[in-house]
Amino acid sequence: MASRATLLPLLFLFLLVAPALATSGTIVFTTLGRSRYGFDIFALPLDPLSTSPSAAASAELLLTDGASRNGSLNLYLTPVPTSASAARRREALEETDDLPPPTLTPLLPWDPIALKDRPSLTADGAHLVYVSTAEAAGAPRRSWAAVYSTSLASGATRRLTPRGVADFSPAVSPSGDWTAAASPGPRGWDGEVEDLRTDIYVFRTSDGSRRALAVPDAGWPTWADDSTVFFHRRDGDGWYGVYRAKLSFTDDDGGAGVSVSVASVDRITPPGFHAFTPAASPGAPGLVAVATRRPGSDYRHVEVIDVSGGGSANATYFEVTRPVAPRAHHFNPFISPGGERVGYHRCRGSGNGDSPLLLESIKSPSPDTFSLFRIDGSFPSFSHDGKRIAFVGLPGLFVVNSDGSGGRRRVFSGNAFPTTWDWKRKGVIYTSVGPDFASESTEVDVVAVSLGDDDDPNVSIKKLTVGGENNAFPSPSPDGKWVVFRSGRSGHKNLYIMDAEDGEAGGIRRLTEGPWSDTMCNWSPDGEWIAFASDRHNPGSGSFAIYMVHPNGTGLRRVVHSADGGRTNHPWFSPDSKTLVFTSDYAAVSAEPISNPHHYQPYGEIFTVNIDGSGIRRLTHNSFEDGTPSWTPYYLKPEDVGETLQASGTCAFEDCHWLNIAAQPDGLMCGKHG
């Protein structure tokens, strides 16, 4: 069916005709916490009787090579070590460079810049089924996530998800005939931050046909057999639970269609603790692996549940990961097809002693035009000679050489946001100090931080605003005379322009006025425009769009908006002033948020747009929150950048904050534990 199946040449159409950027340089942005992850894939024998922590730890296999592939956009096949001891020997030799890491074979012959995740092989091993964001949704605030199938022999790729619909978390049935996926259906994403409003649909793996709604209000499907699907669902009290559905398939109209009926649905895990992201396998009948958050624990662990005895009252739970790594998070379990092992994701680093990258190179859609980097910090900006980067740590203001040499230098210990450099005075950074995400009357002031020079390296800080009524987001004019900033002094957040050296004492005038929020302003390098984010189209709604205005207050216009309720923020001009880079929920979400560590919001990708509103282009593809981009004319080679004096914090991240709910007294350790 052509409407549901697109071959590879057509799939590239959007990617090939995307407008090219005429400017150059480097774009750097932040992803909340992402630089601290460093996940690898591990596995343990699926033997619930092995409960000794020492025995379990000695049996754990490392299946991936420990190399950073945060910027990788392919799916890989890795050899499985013959034993845990062989894996440990290989790991030890790798650390001394006596043995190369195991070869990871890329599986996909096509290479669009897109997220690719949740891979499954069909029963015959001929096709790889996965979710990807390879094609635009065609409308703002609609997810690009869709299920694709690629022939490993020919490379032919087919889209299985209908146009205008998003699919997440696909799973292929044991026979390979059916694929199940979580989908919001025609209604699409409606701004959910925690659990998505999805249902489970099933369709033919071969071509996406015979798509049918199977289980409402459900996510993360996994097949135990061709008629049994486990899934997770969040109940009215906030607890995630794992459920089991028995499905029945009936052909209609002489095989032209299919109807799916649910014979039964029963809850496997009771309320009182969280259980989610289930995994089953026909090779392990009666067993389902789940990730759990137990009351009293800050860590996500994997457990195996034996449900062969019936429902939740007779279920038996076996701990898998807590005996091995009790103070580490474990994500998204899976069971091998033969039922021998249970696998999972865990951050490989040993904790705060390991060092994240300063700059992680992300694949650019125009590598000859600009490079793209994720920084280990927030609100980055380059000095105008390209040699230094300022960023904040929330708290703390830091400066580091752009090649990583010398390590980061903390120049202010309090809470600061954002950063931008003076065009004329060398070593002067503008920022605002005080609480972020605060009301109009909160004490926040714009300051100029002077880094000093070789003769006098002492840092000096000069406050430029008075009154402290949420004065923030400064951006200097390219002639070095003025600074635009936002202030809540009128009772609403509007834009003002003041003297760059003397602040308000040297002169101030109001640029925008109204009962709304104008914020996150940026002055164009040619001096002609000031871009900013505003909710003036629907004040107080939480929806922001990007606008531009001349410094004299004329020419106000809206540049880009991601539909009603959408958020488009943090604009920054390109070096030639013809393009804006920004962050937005324009592409909605790309995965179920529960499958990731904590993020305040599961959306936000980096985009560019021409200042006339044309040529919107997506730069990043992931399931996290990308934000606060900036653009420098200096081109950095697309290579990861470490630090000479390393920062700490690999694996220093938290589980989803919204899982922290109070347990009922009788629900602390439900079920029998082996």
Side-chain angles (χ1 to χ4, degrees), residues 386-560:
K387 295 180 179 180
R388 291 185 288 182
I389 305 172
F391 62 93
V392 302
L394 300 174
L397 171 64
F398 299 85
V399 175
V400 66
N401 294 333
S402 55
D403 63 2
S405 62
R408 61 188 70 190
R409 174 191 178 196
R410 187 171 68 178
V411 298
F412 178 72
S413 60
N415 199 61
F417 68 99
T419 69
T420 184
W421 297 73
D422 190 276
W423 289 82
K424 301 297 183 181
R425 293 184 294 155
K426 185 177 180 180
V428 174
I429 300 168
Y430 297 98
T431 188
S432 43
V433 297
D436 50 330
F437 297 107
S439 65
E440 285 80 357
S441 61
T442 303
E443 186 173 349
V444 182
D445 274 304
V446 174
V447 301
V449 180
S450 298
L451 301 180
D453 52 33
D454 294 338
D455 296 329
D456 183 9
N458 292 324
V459 174
S460 63
I461 298 177
K462 181 178 181 179
K463 191 169 78 166
L464 301 180
T465 54
V466 297
E469 293 178 303
N470 212 326
N471 304 301
F473 289 99
S475 180
S477 61
D479 62 7
K481 297 180 179 180
W482 307 102
V483 170
V484 63
F485 66 102
R486 75 109 195 268
S487 178
R489 64 189 63 199
S490 70
H492 302 285
K493 294 175 181 176
N494 293 149
L495 302 186
Y496 296 77
I497 294 177
M498 65 178 172
D499 186 88
E501 292 196 48
D502 296 325
E504 291 191 43
I508 183 172
R509 63 182 175 87
R510 190 167 185 166
L511 180 62
T512 65
E513 182 174 357
W516 46 67
S517 291
D518 297 332
T519 186
M520 305 175 190
C521 39
N522 184 252
W523 208 312
S524 65
D526 64 7
E528 291 294 315
W529 292 100
I530 292 170
F532 61 98
S534 178
D535 67 351
R536 58 177 55 215
H537 54 279
N538 191 0
S541 66
S543 174
F544 282 79
I546 290 177
Y547 294 78
M548 293 199 322
V549 66
H550 289 303
N552 64 4
T554 65
L556 176 71
R557 69 170 187 255
R558 190 167 76 182
V559 180
V560 61

Side-chain angles (χ1 to χ4, degrees), residues 32 37 57 95 98 110 126 176 213 227 235 253 265 334 376 391 423 460 465 530 578 602 606 609 616 618 638 651 656:
L32 180 65
Y37 295 176
E95 291 176 354
D98 290 333
W110 64 306
L213 173 63
S227 62
D235 65 23
D253 301 327
V265 174
F334 58 95
D376 182 42
F391 62 93
W423 289 82
S460 63
T465 54
I530 292 170
K578 296 180 180 180
I606 305 300
V609 63
I616 294 176
R618 182 174 180 175
C651 301
C656 302

Side-chain angles (χ1 to χ4, degrees), residues 125-169:
H127 289 82
L128 187 69
V129 177
Y130 52 96
V131 67
S132 180
T133 57
E135 291 183 288
R141 222 164 179 246
R142 304 286 290 189
S143 175
W144 295 23
V147 176
Y148 295 83
S149 174
T150 295
S151 167
L152 297 183
S154 67
T157 296
R158 184 184 296 270
R159 178 178 172 131
L160 304 182
T161 301
R163 304 278 182 228
V165 174
D167 280 338
F168 310 104
S169 314

Side-chain angles (χ1 to χ4, degrees), residues 48 63 116 119 124 156 160 163 173 187 190 204 255 277 285 300 367 377 422 436 440 664:
L63 300 183
K116 307 178 191 75
D124 59 4
L160 304 182
R163 304 278 182 228
S173 67
R187 67 176 177 266
D190 194 30
R204 286 291 190 188
T277 58
R300 182 183 300 207
D422 190 276
D436 50 330
E440 285 80 357
Q664 299 298 320

Side-chain angles (χ1 to χ4, degrees), residues 334-357:
F334 58 95
I335 298 178
S336 60
E340 302 90 352
R341 296 184 177 92
V342 56
Y344 44 86
H345 300 73
R346 185 176 75 229
C347 190
R348 191 187 194 209
S350 59
N352 291 336
D354 296 330
S355 176
L357 293 168

